[in-house]
Structure formats: C-alpha cells, structure tokens
Amino acid sequence: AKADGRGACRFFEPAMDARLQERRRLELDLRRALAASEFELYYQPLVNAQSSEIIGFEALLRWNHPERGQVPPAEFIPLAEEIGLIIPLGEWVLRDACREAAAWPRKLKVAVNLSPVQFRSPTLLHTAVSALGMSGLSPHRLELEITESVLLHDSAATLALLHQLRALGVRIAMDDFGTGYSSLSYLRSFPFDKIKIDRSFVRELGEKSDCLAIVKAVAGLGASLGITTTAEGVETPEQLDRVREQGCTEVQGYLFSRPRPASEVRALIDSRSTWVGQAAR
Ligand code: C2E
Ligand code: CA
Ligand code: CA
Ligand code: CA
C-alpha cells in the first residue's frame, strides 16, 4: 500500500511542485518588492452623502510590479499575511498615508486599512504613534479600518488595543459590515466611530428589496448609535439616491472616483476642482 501511495504521490508531484514553486516565487518577489519600493498607495475619496463634499480619502495599496504591471491587493495581501510580511508592509502603509495626508488641508482625513494579522503583533500601537509623530498628522485625521475578523481572535487583547488606539484620538471604522458573523454583537463590544456597509449590499440595491432593507437598517442603527455610516461601492446615481434616502452619512465609489495616485490627489486639492462634482452630476 505504501508503494502505491508513493506512486500516487509521484503522479501528482509535478502539479504540486509547480504550485509551490509559484508560491515560493511570489513570496521572494514580495520581500524583494518591499525593499525595492514597488508599493504605492492610491487614494479614493470619501464623500459627504448630503453635500457631496470630499471629507477625506481611503488609502488603497498597489504593487507596481516591474514585469507583471500593477497587481491588486487581493492577489498579494493574503500571502503577505501568511508569511508575516504584512507587518513591515503595513507599517510602511501607515507611515506613508500619514505623511501624505499631513500635506492635505486640515479638514481632510485619511483612512487606512489594517490586517487582522497586524492586530496580533505587539508593534501596532507603537507603529501608529510613530507614524503620527513622524508626520505631524493630527490623530483625529487618521481613521483605521478593521474588519470583523479582527474581533474573532483573542478579543480581550484586541479590545484593549482598540481602546489604546482610540485613546490616541484615532477613529476606528468597521469595514465590510454585514459580511461576517454576529456583526451586531461586535458593535456592542466596541464603540466604533464608523460602519462601512459592504459593497455587496449597495450593488444590488436596485434589484433586491432585502438589500434595501439591510442598508436602511444599518443606517438607522448608525443614526441611533451616533455612528457614521458609509455606503461603499456606489457606482450609479440611482444607488447614490437610495443610500442617501436611507440615511447613510458618507458614500464612496466609482461614481465619484476610482482610487488615484497621491500626485493626482494633490493636483486635485491644489486646483480645487472637483472630480466628485463632475461624477455625481
Ligand atoms: P476594501 O477595504 O473593502 O476597499 C474597497 C475596495 O473596493 C477597493 O479595492 C476599491 O478600489 C474598491 N472599490 C471602491 N469603489 C468601488 C466601486 O464603486 N465599485 C467597485 N467594483 N469597487 C470599488 P482594492 O483597492 O482592490 O482593495 C481590495 C481590498 O484589499 C480592500 O478592500 C482591503 O481589504 C484590501 N486592502 C487594500 N489596501 C490595503 C492595505 O493597505 N492594507 C490592508 N491590510 N489591506 C488593504
Ligand atoms: Ca477599507
Ligand atoms: Ca470595505
Ligand atoms: Ca471589501
């Protein structure tokens, strides 16, 4: 039986090898990329739902690969998390986003995504303190976006860390709300400043009445708890109307702008023209 097993194994080896090799290549490539400064932050506007004014930008990570071109985060963040590279990469993101935002007008804030893995590292608090200190960015202009999965692990330690971050003056947003489990109990365990309603609910607002009901319920919940609610992934004027009607306080999506490089954000701010006004008309 053993020999059979080995035989069977050998039969599958080439495919397995190719997968492992590809993974190994990507891993080495990722480590190299961080040293070679191939990562870049793009920024997407966060917009006041009523006035359509830009109130800040979410930083979104991009990898400018010398051969593969631009690689989206979904293709490398999971591996970066697995091999621990998300820690130094996440530090770079936080520092770079704070540095960039410190040059914007004071009323604009910056939102930064944090991986659950960063929450299991003892360095996160220090990283945040030093990113704020080095940039001179006022803490209330920094918003950290976390997903529900953060609260799945060791919630006492996580809650303590969230409270410490909050004590710095930083705001905490719950990202992708509605896609995980027991979202409501998480809202009770930590006082979030913002709920971001996942794009999947906004996308089907027109077709599915349950999506409308969910957006309405979450916006209502936010209103009664005094929490900002952001509708993600707003692509059409109809979706914008609907999320406004339901009482979402902020919106974000391709209708206003795709994520853009920092230089374009600076040019926009300097020219005081509005991508947003153009898109929303
Ligand atoms: P997310 O935090 O939920 O970010 C929103 C994603 O939706 C972004 O994808 C954004 O480009 C996209 N998006 C925004 N508006 C629209 C729209 O109207 N329609 C559609 N179809 N998509 C829209 P992106 O940039 O590819 O990022 C994907 C995910 O990667 C993010 O989801 C976040 O979970 C993660 N990510 C991005 N940057 C970072 C980072 O710096 N650190 C960590 N840990 N995760 C990051
Ligand atoms: Ca986010
Ligand atoms: Ca999201
Ligand atoms: Ca998402």
Side-chain angles (χ1 to χ4, degrees), residues 43 56-57 100-106 108-110 141 265-266 269:
Y43 294 89
F57 294 85
E100 190 62 38
W104 301 341
R106 289 173 149 274
L108 295 175
K109 59 190 178 176
V110 67
R141 294 177 59 198
V265 170
R266 266 177 264 142
I269 289 170

Side-chain angles (χ1 to χ4, degrees), residues 174-185:
M174 179 179 277
D175 206 352
D176 302 342
F177 187 80
T179 58
Y181 298 103
S182 32
S183 307
L184 292 175
S185 65

Side-chain angles (χ1 to χ4, degrees), residues 113 147 175-176 179 198-199 232:
N113 291 284
T147 52
D175 206 352
D176 302 342
T179 58
D198 193 67
R199 194 168 84 220
E232 295 187 320

Side-chain angles (χ1 to χ4, degrees), residues 41 44 58-62 72-74 77 81 86 90 93 112-116 118 145 147 175-176 196 198-199 203 232-235 252-255 257 259:
L41 291 178
Q44 186 181 35
E58 178 176 358
L60 292 158
L61 190 56
R62 299 291 181 262
I77 284 182
E81 288 175 330
I86 195 71
V93 168
V112 175
N113 291 284
L114 292 184
S115 157
Q118 289 175 275
E145 298 194 357
T147 52
D175 206 352
D176 302 342
K196 299 189 79 171
D198 193 67
R199 194 168 84 220
R203 189 173 48 221
E232 295 187 320
V234 174
E235 294 184 354
Q252 179 179 5
Y254 293 169
L255 176 65
S257 171

